[in-house]
Amino acid sequence: MNPAHGEAIMVEIKLTNTRTRRKEAFAPIDPANVRMYLCGPTVYDRAHLGNARPVIVFDVLLRLLRHVHGEGCVTYVRNFTDVDDKINARAAATGRPIRDITDETIGWYHADMDALGAARPDHEPRATDYIAQMVDMTGELIAKGHAYEAEGHVLFDVRSFPDYGKLSGRSVDDMIAGARVEVAPFKRDPMDFVLWKPSDADTPGWDSPWGRGRPGWHIECSAMSKALLGDSFDIHGGGIDLQFPHHENEIAQSCCARPQADFARVWLHNEMLQVEGRKMSKSLGNFFTVRDLLDGGTPGEVIRFVFLMTHYRKPMDWTADKAREAEATLRKWHALAAGAQDRGHLDAGIVDLLADDLNTAGALSRLHAMARDLAENATRDCHVEKGIFLSSARLLGLLLPGMDGWLSAGPDLSAQAARLVRLRDEAKESRDFAALDAFKAALTDAGVTIRMNRDGVELDPSPSFDAAKLAALS
């Protein structure tokens, strides 16, 4: 059935709710308007690879929700933090206006996430456009006894919210005992957090009842989600690193400002990313941005595929081997789907796997099996099966229209061509063709088409090209 025609698809989505620590059946507040919010980037520099993981996770969820509830029945919000001390520091160091820096960085972010096949959210609010709403919410919290003024600051009183710490499973006293931070003397409690802080003449600021200043980090998401999604909405998420303190603080201030509301009913958190088995770090030399990979020749579709290979709640390890495997697989899948028509008919197994807490790894395994069946039946007409394969891959954001431009460029086979010429010359000299024949056989097994003549060697990838096998020949 097609939800675009007003019919519901009978699929039960189950998601692991961080707040309850259980996998639960997802029941939206309003099935005609499923609402979700993802914490977006602070826009002062390029997005690193870890920043892309929640984007891809929520993009898959968005595609699933739209399939189940209908294209026009999902509202997706992802914010831009464009007021932050890191942005201020970048402006001071470069002498550039803050707006120029944030506009440029947002442009970079859009280009990079577009390259990964991620759909743009319905709303991308900038924090600086919602200062008035943040001031209003801060005032409400003061009026209700949940916040207080101190030396030009406004701070949230964590002791006024008994449920503080439930999202992260910590008590306030345990947090204080484990804290290694310098506590501001004007705080009533070490865990109290800033809602508003003063700005000097050289720092961006806005007028408020507490003087010229700027918002704390956490209040922005509470104010923007309320403005765009209402007091209660369905899903809120981000990386596990945001669970505490950012999301914990969002819950506290939002629930205290609107005690009659639920704020976010379901909380989703993706685990962190590693590179070649180690934490990504500039000091280890394994830190890179999405743009570093794209400019280095790794297609966005390949990056996305590697991310999908690991369940979002498990730590993900980016490796060069996985990227080579993903590229080889995608080349085969594009070749198999050539000429297929996406008529929106999906494989039920793929839908069920994604509906089971976004099991993308299982969905990829299912696609592998479907691809094998298509390859084994290549001699007969499989246009219906190919269409289902294409539509199902697109539910994961793969094989999307316009995402195959990287295929035409093809792999760089110049080193292999030079090696073939050298082996041929050596074989002519020694009359021993064993090494030449073995290398030709290995190239053919890797899906490389070989054309040799007296003028030289030409190598081209065939539809069965396998980048991993080629790399093993290096």
Side-chain angles (χ1 to χ4, degrees), residues 9-13 64 67-68 346-356 363 366 392 395:
I9 294 177
M10 302 305 294
V11 175
E12 183 179 66
I13 298 174
L64 177 65
H67 171 67
V68 173
L346 302 176
D347 175 72
I350 297 287
V351 176
D352 288 343
L353 285 161
L354 293 182
D356 185 13
R366 176 81 175 173
S392 302
L395 186 60

Side-chain angles (χ1 to χ4, degrees), residues 37-38 40-41 76-82 106 121-130 220-221 223-225 227-228:
Y37 186 97
L38 174 64
Y76 176 28
V77 178
R78 184 181 66 216
N79 73 295
F80 287 119
T81 297
D82 62 345
I106 288 172
D122 299 288
H123 303 282
E124 294 182 287
R126 296 173 67 133
T128 52
D129 292 335
Y130 288 80
E220 67 176 77
C221 287
M224 289 188 285
S225 63
L228 295 168

Side-chain angles (χ1 to χ4, degrees), residues 382-420:
C382 298
H383 68 278
V384 173
E385 291 84 352
K386 284 185 177 182
I388 293 173
F389 174 76
L390 177 62
S391 300
S392 302
R394 287 181 174 177
L395 186 60
L396 287 118
L398 301 171
L399 310 188
L400 296 173
M403 287 288 285
D404 57 354
W406 62 275
L407 294 169
S408 59
D412 182 1
L413 300 173
S414 57
Q416 288 76 18
R419 183 175 174 185
L420 269 181

